Amino acid sequence: RFSQVISPEKNEPSANPEEIQTELDEEMENDICKVWDMSMDEDVALFLQEFNAPDIFMGVFAKSKCPRLTEICVGILGNMACFQDICMSISKDENLGQVLLQRLCDSDSPTLLETSRLLLTCLSQPEVANVWVERIRDSPSVYDCVCFIMSSSTNVELLVKVGEVVDKLFDLDEELMLNWIKSGTSQSVGPSIDDSPEELPDFKIVPCILEAAKQVRSDNPEGLDVYMHILQLLTTVDEGIQAIVQSPDGGKETWSLLYDLVCHELCQPDDPPIIVQEQKTVLASILSVLSAMFASQTEQEYIKMRKSNVKLSLSCYFISDMPLIGSLIRILQYMEGCGKRSVDNSKESEQEETGKADLHEEDFHLKILKDICCELLSNMFQELTKENTLEGLNQGHLNEQTCSCAFQNLLPLYFTSVESFLEVLREADQTLAENLEKRFPSLKVHT
């Protein structure tokens, strides 16, 4: 019946031959969808493999003009790939592998979604992940098609799945990530509804990631987490940081999005402190990127200062942002509350080994978040001026309670930063500075 759909008999009467190619009749679609559902069972998947279903699907991909049929066939392969032996067989078939990657240039969103799901399934299996990484590395069109989807699609489910594929690829292979950071060619060939290829614009990876993140931020917290982690992975290499901060807008769009998330969306004053547990991974990714951008931009400012022999200007668009400093301190305050709760929970579950394991994992992720948060806060403290500090005091971001929380978390590791900030604070509010010195005697000894 598959073959009838993709290659109808020449003598078969039909008023509109094109309709046979582009649409499935209801009975055929129902039957194929039953096979799709059944293919989640390993025995059925193995039977389909023995029946050479992948070869049949190759014929569908080559000849079919019916998007729904293509989507279902890719979906069945995706289910079959969940089983290790079948996944290895599919992955080692070079022709099938290339044809599946070409599906990423499809104009049909459901087909793109199933293709992305299939790729993620294969990339998640260690036995074959490298096969797909190498295949994708050798296929420049994948970069262009992925960028096209991220920059133009409004399908949140598709954007999340494509993001998961990119996140997995970057996590598996730094060389591929570096290639994609440097990529971008106006001669790229991308999706097209008809048979003629469509030329794509000169894609750069960072703007595409940002566009996708903006699309998913409101509707899919997990998707936002994925795209923030992709940005974090970019900052693990110098080329990635430079791609962010040396973009045409100087990184302002990236900073603006991340700033908005931290200051106006995540871990807000009207949220319960436990919210930091729920948002710890996305916060860690965001703050890690902000920290890398801050350090890079500050370094560039100092280089300019040395070259021009003038006093360092703090006119960068993010150096002295008091609302961000206030948000960082709030995150630390919320973590202190979670820490106390964790201690209480650990006492109650001393006999529960599973509970202990979960608790240790939570503590690990919170510690990562705290370390990143403290690093960024300490760097920002070192750049504050009297004017910035007065601004923070007037806006309520800095007071005895918030400064005490900051000092409690920053000392003793970031002593120099705290000392630098306290010196500036003394000029802005002598009384507050003295009160803090009393609460933290180690500071008074050194001042």
Side-chain angles (χ1 to χ4, degrees):
R1 294 178 67 186
F2 267 128
S3 63
Q4 289 173 8
V5 173
I6 60 177
S7 301
E9 295 294 332
K10 291 181 180 179
N11 57 358
E12 185 178 315
S14 173
N16 185 3
E18 279 299 312
E19 193 170 326
I20 297 177
Q21 293 184 315
T22 58
E23 293 183 10
L24 284 174
D25 66 72
E26 187 176 349
E27 182 184 358
M28 180 68 171
E29 182 171 347
N30 289 338
D31 286 347
I32 302 176
C33 283
K34 286 176 185 176
V35 176
W36 190 1
D37 292 338
M38 292 165 63
S39 63
M40 289 187 289
D41 181 278
E42 186 172 9
D43 288 336
V44 175
L46 287 168
F47 171 78
L48 288 171
Q49 185 186 26
E50 292 171 8
F51 195 70
N52 294 324
D55 291 338
I56 296 174
F57 297 155
M58 282 274 284
V60 173
F61 300 147
K63 298 180 182 179
S64 174
K65 299 290 184 181
C66 175
R68 178 62 171 157
L69 181 60
T70 304
E71 173 205 352
I72 294 171
C73 291
V74 179
I76 294 173
L77 278 174
N79 283 350
M80 294 171 65
C82 292
F83 307 106
Q84 184 177 333
D85 290 343
I86 301 176
C87 186
M88 290 182 70
S89 175
I90 291 172
S91 300
K92 289 177 180 178
D93 187 330
E94 187 62 31
N95 290 332
L96 180 57
Q98 290 298 334
V99 168
L100 287 171
L101 290 184
Q102 289 170 13
R103 293 299 98 214
L104 285 173
C105 293
D106 207 295
S107 59
D108 180 59
S109 290
T111 298
L112 290 171
L113 177 61
E114 292 306 320
T115 304
S116 302
R117 186 173 73 88
L118 170 58
L119 289 176
L120 185 62
T121 299
C122 295
L123 289 168
S124 300
Q125 300 209 22
E127 297 81 10
V128 299
N130 288 339
V131 174
W132 285 99
V133 168
E134 186 174 344
R135 188 173 285 149
I136 291 170
R137 199 191 301 139
D138 294 338
S139 304
S141 63
V142 173
Y143 168 85
D144 298 308
C145 294
V146 166
C147 284
F148 182 80
I149 294 167
M150 291 194 296
S151 62
S152 62
S153 178
T154 56
N155 184 321
V156 171
E157 190 179 4
L158 171 60
L159 287 171
V160 172
K161 195 58 66 178
V162 167
E164 290 174 344
V165 171
V166 174
D167 188 40
K168 192 70 177 176
L169 283 170
F170 286 3
D171 199 32
L172 286 169
D173 192 77
E174 186 176 293
E175 182 186 343
L176 183 142
M177 181 171 72
L178 287 168
N179 289 343
W180 282 25
I181 291 170
K182 299 169 186 175
S183 284
T185 167
S186 58
Q187 301 304 313
S188 304
V189 174
S192 177
I193 295 175
D194 54 28
D195 290 332
S196 58
E198 178 183 297
E199 191 174 287
L200 294 178
D202 187 12
F203 285 121
K204 297 297 181 186
I205 191 70
V206 174
C208 296
I209 293 169
L210 293 179
E211 190 58 40
K214 291 174 188 175
Q215 285 289 335
V216 304
R217 65 182 288 187
S218 301
D219 300 322
N220 196 299
E222 293 78 12
L224 180 64
D225 200 341
V226 168
Y227 279 99
M228 293 303 100
H229 190 253
I230 294 173
L231 282 177
Q232 182 184 0
L233 287 173
L234 290 182
T235 64
T236 60
V237 293
D238 289 339
E239 292 87 346
I241 297 174
Q242 297 311 310
I244 294 173
V245 300
Q246 292 184 0
S247 55
D249 65 356
K252 289 184 181 180
E253 188 179 356
T254 303
W255 184 273
S256 177
L257 173 62
L258 303 188
Y259 167 88
D260 195 40
L261 288 168
V262 174
C263 295
H264 301 130
E265 223 167 278
L266 301 171
C267 206
Q268 293 302 291
D270 54 350
D271 288 329
I274 196 68
I275 195 71
V276 78
Q277 281 281 12
E278 181 183 327
Q279 298 174 351
K280 58 183 178 287
T281 56
V282 68
L283 280 169
S285 294
I286 292 172
L287 296 185
S288 182
V289 177
L290 291 176
S291 186
M293 292 181 70
F294 187 93
S296 175
Q297 189 67 28
T298 306
E299 182 183 354
Q300 289 178 30
E301 287 291 311
Y302 276 107
I303 291 172
K304 290 177 188 175
M305 176 193 71
R306 287 199 299 270
K307 286 181 177 178
S308 58
N309 198 28
V310 296
K311 192 173 185 292
L312 175 65
S313 167
L314 295 182
S315 60
C316 297
Y317 57 85
F318 54 73
I319 287 292
S320 58
D321 208 313
M322 293 311 305
L324 179 56
I325 288 178
S327 295
L328 293 174
I329 295 174
R330 181 169 60 251
I331 291 169
L332 291 172
Q333 289 174 318
Y334 282 10
M335 279 194 285
E336 285 181 355
C338 286
K340 292 174 184 175
R341 180 169 178 154
S342 294
V343 170
D344 294 338
N345 288 344
S346 65
K347 290 177 181 177
E348 293 174 7
S349 61
E350 279 183 355
Q351 306 302 319
E352 299 177 18
E353 292 301 321
T354 305
K356 282 186 180 181
D358 292 342
L359 189 63
H360 290 323
E361 185 177 352
E362 284 184 2
D363 289 345
F364 174 73
H365 288 296
L366 283 176
K367 183 181 183 306
I368 291 175
L369 176 58
K370 179 183 175 181
D371 290 347
I372 296 169
C373 191
C374 286
E375 181 184 5
L376 177 56
L377 183 60
S378 71
N379 287 337
M380 297 190 80
F381 267 3
Q382 283 190 301
E383 303 299 335
L384 289 179
T385 64
K386 178 183 175 181
E387 291 72 23
N388 304 145
T389 305
L390 284 169
E391 178 190 348
L393 292 168
N394 292 331
Q395 293 176 351
H397 300 300
L398 296 177
N399 54 46
E400 188 167 343
Q401 182 185 14
T402 58
C403 288
S404 295
C405 174
F407 287 13
Q408 184 72 41
N409 285 277
L410 293 177
L411 293 172
L413 184 61
Y414 297 103
F415 181 88
T416 305
S417 297
V418 174
E419 193 176 40
S420 171
F421 168 64
L422 191 61
E423 188 177 332
V424 174
L425 183 61
R426 214 176 272 115
E427 298 178 32
D429 190 328
Q430 177 75 27
T431 304
L432 177 55
E434 289 176 354
N435 290 342
L436 289 168
E437 283 181 337
K438 291 175 184 176
R439 296 189 67 169
F440 298 90
S442 62
L443 291 170
K444 195 169 185 178
V445 172
H446 290 81
T447 56

